């Protein structure tokens, strides 16, 4: 691998092969043979997914290091498909005998089933692309003393900024995941996936009133992204947010214009729209967007993408967990629904190409169509111009606690940081506001789109069918008319 950059695919593939094949006495020819054996006369598709994941976390509370943990998860999953029917098994034991036995078990119950025509190979054509992230192991880059010193510095800085800070919780989490995927159709490759996150939460107290604020950042990188400057900016932001909430007055209630700030607030799109555009929900007809390709589902100017190719993005992947290369998939273009996110199974069921969205939490899980980095593209307006257009409404700086019903599209979010807008100007902070709406309706209620599209800082996680995965979200500043705001004010 001499002379290759860290982000050259050959370095990544060779590293994954060494970690998961060479180490356990395996080779690609053997895996291909096992996949073919598992296919038997019953299946039309088979794959083997090997994974090793090392992770660590450190946490500080009230000035003390409260927890430090390290773990390794290792194993493989083997899957056989026949149409929409699946047979799956997993094991923590990686060796030839175990894998051969698993392959036999998956197919032996169907030994007399008629042979079927295998599905076509999933090709990976396209121009050469450098990897989206490096392969260095973040767990090895810093000493334990340096990691705990970082947490202590966060605690000390937050408390020094204001005497009303009464509690500081902070944690860092890092993982290094190596995967290898072999399919019966001849595909065989691997990926090496670093991930880092730091999160800070502070509690402030004044005149008996207690408020909490938190934030963080990270991505597919190592501890090097936790620079002193970045950490200081994070801590100052969190303390400022908590102190602002101390001044919050009761939120108004009723339908009104809501301006939603850029970046992390794309979590609203993720929950209210993104899940409804995943292929499995639409194949079953259970999404509010099922059967609507080519229809207008959003206001003009609304373009939404799922993009697994963002360099270093939290949800980015060089290849997904079925071996399909990550893509930049246009879901909604200028308000028109253009497509869904697919894994191999939903793609074959709906007669279209996979989009690189087949993801699984671990080797013990089956793949599902899942988001990567999902965001709305920028418009042309300055954020200040959008705020000045509102005579009465609220500005939401931070959303949290979202829930959505995929079938109906209904959602509810807590506006954890929000301000009144009066006569085109930001006013007093408000507390206790919730945002209620319907995803399909909300897309059509967007009346202004800012030029400030941002992705979140790299802290998002998404749960579906019991599987939790890292994701990215993003959006520009948006004006949405007629959203329902729940609050205690008038």
């Amino acid at each position: 691998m001499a002379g290759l950059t860290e982000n050259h695919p050959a370095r990544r593939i060779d590293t994954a092969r060494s970690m998961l094949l060479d180490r356990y006495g395996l080779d690609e020819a053997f895996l291909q043979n096992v996949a073919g054996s598992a296919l038997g006369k019953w299946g039309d598709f088979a794959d083997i997914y090997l994974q090793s994941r090392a992770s660590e976390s450190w946490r500080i509370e009230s000035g003390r290091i409260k927890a430090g943990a390290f773990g390794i998860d290792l194993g493989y999953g083997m899957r056989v498909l026949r149409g929409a029917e699946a047979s799956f098994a997993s094991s923590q034991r990686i060796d030839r005998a175990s894998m051969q036995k698993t392959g036999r078990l998956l197919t032996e119950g169907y030994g007399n089933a008629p042979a079927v025509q295998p599905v076509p190979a999933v090709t990976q054509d396209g121009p050469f692309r450098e990897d989206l992230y490096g392969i260095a192991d973040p767990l090895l880059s810093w000493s334990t003393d340096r990691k705990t010193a970082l947490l202590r510095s966060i605690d000390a800085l937050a408390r020094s900024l204001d005497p009303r800070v009464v509690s500081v919780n902070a944690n860092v989490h890092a993982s290094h995941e190596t995967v290898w995927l072999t399919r019966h159709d001849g595909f065989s490759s691997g990926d090496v996936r670093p991930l880092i996150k730091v999160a800070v939460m502070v509690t402030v107290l004044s005149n008996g009133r207690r408020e909490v604020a938190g934030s963080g950042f990270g991505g597919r990188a190592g501890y090097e992204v936790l620079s002193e400057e970045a950490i200081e900016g994070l801590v100052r932001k969190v303390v400022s947010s908590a102190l602002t909430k101390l001044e919050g007055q009761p939120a108004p209630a009723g339908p009104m214009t809501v301006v939603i700030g850029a970046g992390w607030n794309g979590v609203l799109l993720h929950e209210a729209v993104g899940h409804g555009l995943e292929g499995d929900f639409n194949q079953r007809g259970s999404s509010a967007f099922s059967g609507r390709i080519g229809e207008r589902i959003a206001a003009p100017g609304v373009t939404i993408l799922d993009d697994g190719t963002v360099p270093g993005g939290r949800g980015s992947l060089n290849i997904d967990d079925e071996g399909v290369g990550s893509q930049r998939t246009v879901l909604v273009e200028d308000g028109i629904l253009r497509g869904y996110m697919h894994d191999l199974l939903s793609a074959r069921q709906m007669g279209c190409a996979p989009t690189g969205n087949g993801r699984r939490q671990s080797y013990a899980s089956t793949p599902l169509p899942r988001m990567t980095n999902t965001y709305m593209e920028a418009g042309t307006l300055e954020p200040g111009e959008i705020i000045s257009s509102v005579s009465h409404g609220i500005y939401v700086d931070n959303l949290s606690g979202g829930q959505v019903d995929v079938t109906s599209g209904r959602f509810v979010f807590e506006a954890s940081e929000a301000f009144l807008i009066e006569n085109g100007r930001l006013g007093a902070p408000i507390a206790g506001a919730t945002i209620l709406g319907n995803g399909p309706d909300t897309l059509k209620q967007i009346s202004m789109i800012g030029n400030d599209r941002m992705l979140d800082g790299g802290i998002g996680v998404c749960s579906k069918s019991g599987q939790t995965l890292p994701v990215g979200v993003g959006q520009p500043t948006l004006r949405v008319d007629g959203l329902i705001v729940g609050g205690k004010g008038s």
Side-chain angles (χ1 to χ4, degrees):
M1 294 187 289
L4 300 180
T5 65
E6 186 186 21
N7 287 39
H8 193 288
R11 182 179 289 272
R12 175 249 303 175
I13 293 169
D14 286 346
T15 299
R17 181 183 292 111
S18 174
M19 290 286 293
L20 285 172
L21 274 61
D22 298 348
R23 176 173 293 184
Y24 298 100
L26 308 176
D27 56 64
E28 292 172 67
F30 169 78
L31 293 176
Q32 291 285 351
N33 184 58
V34 173
S37 173
L39 199 67
K41 293 183 178 181
W42 177 77
D44 58 28
F45 178 90
D47 63 7
I48 303 171
Y49 180 82
L50 296 96
Q51 179 193 40
S52 174
R53 183 175 185 270
S55 61
E56 68 172 1
S57 61
W58 298 91
R59 177 165 55 90
I60 190 170
E61 292 181 12
S62 303
R64 294 185 177 184
I65 302 298
K66 286 286 189 177
F70 174 82
I72 295 178
D73 196 15
L74 174 70
Y76 70 89
M78 195 177 304
R79 177 179 60 155
V80 180
L81 301 178
R82 178 188 174 95
E85 190 175 354
S87 182
F88 177 79
S90 65
S91 174
Q92 293 180 312
R93 179 178 177 180
I94 298 180
D95 61 37
R96 288 178 174 247
S98 171
M99 301 183 89
Q100 288 171 327
K101 180 179 180 180
T102 300
R104 291 193 300 270
L105 290 173
L106 283 178
T107 193
E108 68 180 10
Y110 305 94
N112 296 320
V116 294
Q117 183 67 33
V119 296
V122 181
T123 59
Q124 294 297 295
D125 298 327
F128 170 82
R129 182 183 74 192
E130 285 267 302
D131 280 351
L132 301 167
Y133 37 84
I135 61 174
D137 187 346
L139 279 67
L140 303 178
S141 61
W142 279 18
S143 68
T144 298
D145 287 345
R146 189 174 180 184
K147 296 164 189 173
T148 55
L150 169 68
L151 293 175
R152 290 192 175 96
S153 71
I154 290 172
D155 180 89
L157 174 59
R159 294 177 186 278
S160 73
L161 293 175
D162 195 283
R164 289 171 289 181
V165 175
V166 295
S167 175
V168 181
N169 293 341
N171 66 79
V172 292
H173 181 87
S175 65
H176 194 241
E177 178 181 75
T178 306
V179 303
W180 189 272
L181 194 287
T182 294
R183 298 194 305 249
H184 84 281
D185 61 14
F187 177 88
S188 196
S189 190
D191 198 10
V192 181
R193 303 166 178 171
L195 195 65
I196 189 80
K197 181 174 79 171
V198 59
V200 177
M201 180 179 294
V202 302
T203 302
V204 295
L205 178 65
S206 179
N207 298 321
R209 180 170 177 174
R210 188 181 299 267
E211 294 289 349
V212 178
S215 188
F217 68 90
R220 292 212 178 276
Y223 279 98
E224 70 277 0
V225 300
L226 308 187
S227 67
E228 185 175 331
E229 180 181 16
I231 292 294
E232 181 176 349
L234 171 64
V235 175
R236 290 185 178 277
K237 171 187 173 183
V238 172
V239 171
S240 176
S241 295
L243 294 175
T244 299
K245 291 170 74 173
L246 282 175
E247 305 167 8
Q249 61 187 55
M256 66 185 68
T257 297
V258 178
V259 177
I260 305 174
W264 165 253
N265 291 325
V267 67
L268 187 150
L269 292 173
H270 172 101
E271 293 289 357
V273 179
H275 281 297
L277 298 179
E278 291 170 334
D280 51 351
F281 293 124
N282 289 281
Q283 188 277 326
R284 295 194 296 265
S286 59
S287 166
F289 301 103
S290 296
R292 301 186 63 186
I293 298 293
E295 293 184 18
R296 175 168 295 284
I297 65 165
V302 173
T303 295
I304 301 173
L305 301 96
D306 184 83
D307 187 358
T309 69
V310 177
R314 182 168 172 82
S316 296
L317 298 167
N318 290 311
I319 57 172
D320 74 2
D321 295 330
E322 297 178 303
V324 179
S326 282
Q327 300 175 25
R328 186 175 183 269
T329 303
V330 178
L331 303 171
V332 180
E333 182 179 31
D334 197 22
I336 306 299
L337 180 59
R338 295 301 186 194
Y340 305 122
M341 292 165 278
H342 290 290
D343 64 356
L344 290 175
L345 182 57
S346 69
R348 66 194 293 195
Q349 289 177 308
M350 297 187 73
C352 56
T355 57
N357 291 94
R359 304 187 64 189
R360 52 183 119 196
Q361 177 175 295
S362 80
Y363 65 89
S365 310
T366 55
L368 298 169
R370 303 293 299 273
M371 285 174 273
T372 57
N373 306 298
T374 309
Y375 57 85
M376 183 185 294
E377 286 281 50
T380 60
L381 301 175
E382 293 289 337
E385 184 179 354
I386 296 176
I387 293 172
S388 66
S389 74
V390 179
S391 59
H392 174 72
I394 68 170
Y395 172 78
V396 176
D397 195 43
N398 191 63
L399 288 166
S400 61
Q403 294 181 337
V404 64
D405 181 333
V406 173
T407 301
S408 67
R410 293 172 183 159
F411 64 82
V412 58
F413 276 89
E414 177 188 353
S416 56
E417 296 175 46
F419 300 81
L420 287 174
I421 303 177
E422 296 289 351
N423 300 316
R425 295 179 179 273
L426 287 182
I430 57 176
T434 56
I435 307 297
L436 300 92
N438 174 284
D441 292 342
T442 299
L443 287 177
K444 294 178 179 178
Q445 294 165 238
I446 296 171
S447 59
M448 302 178 79
I449 304 174
N451 61 5
D452 57 340
R453 191 269 286 170
M454 296 190 301
L455 293 181
D456 76 289
I459 60 172
V461 294
C462 173
S463 293
K464 175 181 175 180
S465 300
Q467 297 189 42
T468 301
L469 290 169
V471 295
V473 299
Q475 68 169 50
T477 297
L478 301 175
R479 171 175 164 156
V480 186
D481 297 321
L483 275 179
I484 303 299
V485 176
K488 297 181 180 180
S490 58

